[in-house]
Amino acid sequence: MTTSILDEAAAAIIERDKTHGNFEDNQLLTSLLWSAYIAAGNTPDLQPHDVCILNILQKISRMRCGNLDRDHLVDIAGWAELAARLTGSST
């Protein structure tokens, strides 16, 4: 029997609590980080590389609310590389 998408998602949420921390705390911190990043910008429109930075900030929130999981660090490095490619500063 195949697991439903909803059942799989429910199991993932429970598992993510171990590495991401409480989802309400995480989402609150992420929203604060994103708001600060957007407010500090000098252009009203987000650019493609900004999406990468916002994803890095979400990973930082997950580490702060959860733990320093290696997967978060790998993802941050990946998002940083993608931002560099989008801005033409990749090596």
Side-chain angles (χ1 to χ4, degrees), residues 35-81:
S35 294
Y37 179 83
I38 291 168
N42 55 7
T43 177
D45 298 321
L46 292 175
Q47 302 301 309
H49 71 275
D50 290 318
V51 175
C52 298
I53 304 304
L54 291 171
N55 280 303
I56 290 170
L57 290 173
Q58 184 173 44
K59 287 294 183 175
I60 291 169
S61 175
R62 289 175 177 175
M63 288 188 298
R64 181 69 178 110
C65 293
N67 61 45
L68 189 61
D69 188 73
R70 180 180 173 84
D71 180 62
H72 298 320
L73 298 173
V74 171
D75 285 349
I76 287 171
W79 284 117
E81 173 59 24

Side-chain angles (χ1 to χ4, degrees), residues 4 8 14 18 21 25 34 49-50 52 70-71 80 91:
S4 76
E8 190 173 336
I14 292 168
K18 297 174 187 172
D25 294 341
W34 285 14
H49 71 275
D50 290 318
C52 298
R70 180 180 173 84
D71 180 62
T91 56

Side-chain angles (χ1 to χ4, degrees), residues 23-45:
F23 80 93
E24 290 173 339
D25 294 341
N26 184 345
Q27 296 307 306
L28 175 61
L29 181 55
T30 297
S31 70
L32 294 171
L33 291 170
W34 285 14
S35 294
Y37 179 83
I38 291 168
N42 55 7
T43 177
D45 298 321

